[in-house]
Amino acid sequence: MNRKMQQMQNQPSLAKRERARREAVFPDLRNMGVLARALLLYLFLCLGYALAVAASARDVYFELLSAVGVSLPLAGSVAGLWLIASPWLRRLAYWQAALLLGAIAVLIALMLARLQELPLWRLLPFTLLALAVLLAYFHTLGQALSPAVTEARLQALQARIRPHFLFNALNGVLGVIRTDPKRAEAALEDLAELFRVLMRENRDLHPLADEIILTRQYLDLEKLRLGHRLTVEWKLDHMPRDALVPPLILQPLAENAVYHGIEPSEAAGVIEIEASRRRDRLCLAVRNPFVERPGSHHGGNKMAMQNIRERLALHFDAEARVEAGPRGGRYVVQITMPLRRAGRNDPHTVV
């Protein structure tokens, strides 16, 4: 009975969530990837116009310069207002934001035509066409990266992590189940808690502090197998406490560090995990011993790295960066992403 009442109470919120998932989010011009795409589209449109009106191949260059020179003040003004108003525009329906931006573009075109004595009959149609093409492109891209599609892709990526994670964790528990049953029982409780986190809906960014807890639990399970061979050093003094990150961004790196840096050697090894802020960027770094093995290479990291890169792209587009490779006798993976804080962010998709 209580379950039915709870389901009835959740129906409006679920319907609202599903409706929001089907809608494309208006592009955020503050994102460098979105801005770069908009700039390239603008230049291609200018080039297309130049090719259409040029009398000969020699005139294409001059027509292109003319098109850019005439349209740049208008394009720059619209882009500036779009960039400033992005947080507000993204709260509107896509068609509402598009109509509002189109009206603003027309007003600016009228003002520039009057102030600079530009041919309005040439400027206005090009402006509306360029804006329509731009918004249609971003709407199509937004549908492809809509929250519903994004969530499906994130779940698929997470599914690649779980089997390997479960295999390693259970091996750790089996290693102590006879010698220390109480410790094994506590480890199984940790494992159940870890999988509760892994199985929940992980569409949105979540607190970095939760990711740290998840990774600590995983590494505690690994210490059951590896004992004194595994030492973990946490460098969190400069970590922003309210930072948000994509789910499962740190645990796979810790898993790789154990698999490639600790397991191949009989000697004890240290894994360093650091989280810090650099201006408006969040930096995560995982360092482990670099062990060269004949016939093997750290190319085993490629799947995890590709997985993480794709999930970062789904959340941050081109603004996140992953660097990985040996440095000073250690293997270092460093992630740099925009610093997002709890309660201060727009919808999680960038387009």
Side-chain angles (χ1 to χ4, degrees):
M1 185 69 179
N2 291 334
R3 183 178 295 178
K4 288 184 177 179
M5 291 180 64
Q6 187 175 5
Q7 288 176 349
M8 291 176 65
Q9 291 174 353
N10 289 338
Q11 280 179 356
S13 60
L14 289 173
K16 185 177 180 181
R17 183 183 297 176
E18 287 301 320
R19 192 163 55 248
R21 288 179 182 180
R22 290 192 297 267
E23 296 173 357
V25 181
F26 200 74
D28 186 356
L29 210 62
R30 297 169 298 175
N31 184 278
M32 293 303 296
V34 175
L35 184 60
R37 291 189 184 97
L39 179 60
L40 285 174
L41 277 174
Y42 164 71
L43 292 175
F44 276 122
L45 286 168
C46 289
L47 178 60
Y49 173 82
L51 291 171
V53 301
S56 65
R58 293 181 180 179
D59 296 333
V60 172
Y61 177 73
F62 298 102
E63 291 292 347
L64 176 60
L65 289 181
S66 175
V68 172
V70 170
S71 61
L72 189 58
L74 174 60
S77 301
V78 173
L81 288 173
W82 184 352
L83 189 147
I84 294 170
S86 276
W88 185 71
L89 289 172
R90 286 165 65 80
R91 297 189 184 102
L92 303 176
Y94 198 98
W95 67 270
Q96 292 174 329
L99 285 178
L100 180 59
L101 197 61
I104 291 173
V106 169
L107 288 175
I108 295 176
L110 292 172
M111 290 174 58
L112 289 175
R114 185 168 183 178
L115 292 174
Q116 299 183 5
E117 297 182 355
L118 297 174
L120 185 61
W121 62 267
R122 182 182 175 186
L123 186 62
L124 194 55
F126 182 79
T127 299
L128 293 176
L129 176 62
L131 190 60
V133 170
L134 199 65
L135 293 178
Y137 166 78
F138 279 122
H139 184 269
T140 304
L141 185 63
Q143 291 289 353
L145 297 179
S146 64
V149 178
T150 299
E151 181 176 358
R153 293 176 69 186
L154 287 173
Q155 295 294 343
L157 288 168
Q158 283 175 225
R160 301 178 195 170
I161 297 173
R162 289 173 188 159
H164 191 197
F165 174 76
L166 177 61
F167 178 78
N168 282 348
L170 287 177
N171 271 347
V173 175
L174 289 173
V176 297
I177 199 167
R178 292 181 179 177
T179 59
D180 195 343
K182 289 186 178 180
R183 190 179 180 189
E185 181 181 354
L188 285 173
E189 290 176 355
D190 285 344
L191 184 59
E193 176 62 20
L194 283 170
F195 269 84
R196 185 189 67 80
V197 173
L198 292 172
M199 295 297 292
R200 72 186 179 190
E201 183 178 292
N202 283 319
R203 174 167 54 92
D204 299 322
L205 302 176
H206 73 168
L208 174 58
D210 291 353
E211 187 71 12
I212 296 293
I213 292 172
L214 177 75
T215 307
R216 283 185 188 274
Q217 289 176 317
Y218 167 75
L219 289 170
D220 286 344
L221 287 169
E222 287 289 25
K223 282 184 72 69
L224 292 178
R225 289 194 305 125
L226 300 169
H228 71 281
R229 290 170 56 197
L230 172 61
T231 301
V232 183
E233 292 184 1
W234 294 89
K235 299 182 177 181
L236 307 176
D237 293 342
H238 302 290
M239 181 185 86
R241 300 296 170 180
D242 56 349
L244 299 175
V245 297
L248 293 176
I249 204 70
L250 195 56
Q251 182 272 329
L253 297 182
E255 186 173 349
N256 261 10
V258 170
Y259 182 73
H260 294 285
I262 305 298
E263 288 187 354
S265 174
E266 294 297 326
V270 177
I271 294 175
E272 297 177 12
I273 300 178
E274 182 177 6
S276 59
R277 174 188 176 182
R278 296 178 187 173
R279 297 181 182 177
D280 61 343
R281 311 283 289 174
L282 175 66
C283 299
L284 303 176
V286 177
R287 306 176 184 90
N288 59 265
F290 181 65
V291 181
E292 287 282 9
R293 287 178 290 173
S296 180
H297 189 263
H298 280 254
N301 284 331
K302 289 182 180 179
M303 181 178 291
M305 291 297 100
Q306 183 60 33
N307 187 307
I308 289 171
R309 285 189 176 95
E310 186 168 350
R311 287 188 288 120
L312 286 169
L314 287 171
H315 286 284
F316 301 115
D317 202 320
E319 290 195 315
R321 187 174 71 254
V322 181
E323 298 175 339
R327 275 185 225 165
R330 297 178 69 76
Y331 196 87
V332 181
V333 179
Q334 182 165 310
I335 298 175
T336 306
M337 69 185 82
L339 178 59
R340 299 284 188 263
R341 295 178 177 275
R344 306 183 193 179
N345 305 288
D346 293 329
H348 74 284
T349 48
V350 294
V351 292

